[in-house]
């Protein structure tokens, strides 16, 4: 399992076959390969460390339960990412229902998550500035930014995950980018960063 990183790390067919057969060592190797990208995604969608940890646990439990259903149509990591996003959005929606939230709450900044796909030193942005700017976005907007700009999902895919129309994803992204420009004092860096992020996130899809 070497080469590409994140959700698109190369999975050895033999190891995957063993995992589908219930081999605990093979399942553990899959966990080690994907725990970081799953954790990173969970922490971006969720509002707290506790919620993110719940998503990580539920994602890998589902992987163990459902790995036999993976038919090799596309990258294994893409399949696992769909599970992680689904679990994270379930927590996201549950929190909003319980709190009667309008999606305006912010996230905890309790540790760095990888933003290498969206930060370009030439733009003069500091990593912490971008961390804080993302945290200041409304929940739904922050989630759409992460899924579109970093994970490389399409508006149609994001809309389906939210059970909404593509206009929902497009409008949230547009507003989020405008807000990020305000917060970062930038007039054009978001567009460049988005294209960079999508080229990374969409790779291998």
């Amino acid at each position: 399992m070497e080469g590409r990183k994140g959700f698109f790390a190369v999975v050895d067919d033999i190891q995957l076959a063993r995992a589908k057969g219930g081999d605990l060592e093979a399942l553990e190797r899959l966990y080690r390969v994907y725990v970081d990208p799953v954790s990173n995604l969970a922490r971006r969608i969720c509002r707290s460390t506790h919620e993110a940890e719940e998503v990580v646990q539920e994602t890998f439990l589902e992987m163990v339960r459902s790995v036999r259903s993976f038919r090799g149509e596309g990258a294994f990591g893409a399949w696992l990412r769909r599970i992680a996003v689904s679990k994270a959005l379930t927590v996201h929606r549950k929190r909003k229902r319980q709190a009667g939230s309008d999606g305006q709450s912010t996230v905890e900044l309790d540790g760095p998550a990888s933003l290498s796909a969206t930060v370009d030193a030439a733009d003069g942005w500091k990593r912490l500035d971008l961390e804080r700017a993302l945290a200041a976005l409304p929940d739904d907007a922050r989630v759409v930014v992460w899924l579109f700009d970093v994970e490389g999902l399409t508006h149609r895919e994001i809309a389906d995950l939210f059970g909404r129309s593509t206009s929902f994803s497009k409008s949230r992204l547009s507003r989020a980018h405008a807000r990020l420009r305000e917060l970062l004092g930038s007039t054009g860096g978001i567009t460049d960063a988005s294209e960079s992020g999508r080229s990374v996130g969409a790779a291998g899809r």
Side-chain angles (χ1 to χ4, degrees), residues 29-50:
R29 291 194 66 187
L30 288 177
Y31 170 83
R32 291 199 300 268
V33 168
Y34 293 109
V35 65
D36 284 347
V38 169
S39 298
N40 197 36
L41 184 151
R43 290 178 60 249
R44 282 300 162 195
I45 294 180
C46 298
R47 198 173 95 180
S48 70
T49 300
H50 173 74

Side-chain angles (χ1 to χ4, degrees), residues 13-14 67 69-70 77 114 149 163 167-168 170 177 195-196 205:
D13 288 340
I14 295 176
V67 66
S69 68
F70 176 67
S114 174
D149 288 336
S167 62
F168 163 83
K170 292 178 180 179
H177 282 179
E195 292 304 316
S196 174
R205 279 157 41 84

Side-chain angles (χ1 to χ4, degrees), residues 8-202:
F8 295 101
V10 176
V11 178
D12 181 86
D13 288 340
I14 295 176
Q15 289 295 323
L16 182 55
R18 289 175 178 171
K20 294 174 74 172
D23 184 282
L24 294 180
E25 182 178 350
L27 288 167
E28 183 180 356
R29 291 194 66 187
L30 288 177
Y31 170 83
R32 291 199 300 268
V33 168
Y34 293 109
V35 65
D36 284 347
V38 169
S39 298
N40 197 36
L41 184 151
R43 290 178 60 249
R44 282 300 162 195
I45 294 180
C46 298
R47 198 173 95 180
S48 70
T49 300
H50 173 74
E51 289 179 349
E53 290 174 347
E54 177 184 344
V55 168
V56 173
Q57 180 178 356
E58 289 298 319
T59 296
F60 285 105
L61 285 174
E62 185 64 34
M63 182 191 78
V64 172
R65 288 192 294 261
S66 305
V67 66
R68 291 183 181 179
S69 68
F70 176 67
R71 299 181 178 180
E73 300 171 353
F76 178 80
W79 175 83
L80 185 63
R81 184 178 63 180
R82 286 193 293 272
I83 294 176
V85 172
S86 177
K87 299 296 183 182
L89 288 181
T90 296
V91 171
H92 173 72
R93 287 189 289 265
K94 178 181 177 181
R95 182 183 67 251
K96 290 180 65 176
R97 286 196 303 269
Q98 291 176 338
S101 172
D102 61 0
Q104 300 300 311
S105 56
T106 57
V107 296
E108 296 177 355
L109 285 177
D110 55 0
S114 174
L115 290 172
S116 59
T118 56
V119 178
D120 187 338
D123 292 322
W125 297 347
K126 295 181 180 179
R127 184 178 299 272
L128 185 58
D129 289 341
L130 186 53
E131 292 275 353
R132 289 173 174 166
L134 286 170
L137 293 177
D139 280 354
D140 284 352
R142 189 189 70 257
V143 172
V144 171
V145 166
W146 190 262
L147 294 181
F148 185 88
D149 288 336
V150 180
E151 298 298 337
L153 272 65
T154 66
H155 285 301
R156 178 73 270 165
E157 289 171 325
I158 295 171
D160 288 345
L161 287 166
F162 274 91
R164 305 287 290 272
S165 66
T166 56
S167 62
F168 163 83
S169 176
K170 292 178 180 179
S171 65
R172 288 297 189 279
L173 186 70
S174 178
R175 293 172 188 172
H177 282 179
R179 181 57 178 154
L180 286 173
R181 290 189 187 101
E182 291 178 12
L183 293 169
L184 295 169
S186 172
T187 58
I190 291 295
T191 300
D192 295 337
S194 300
E195 292 304 316
S196 174
R198 286 188 62 76
S199 67
V200 173

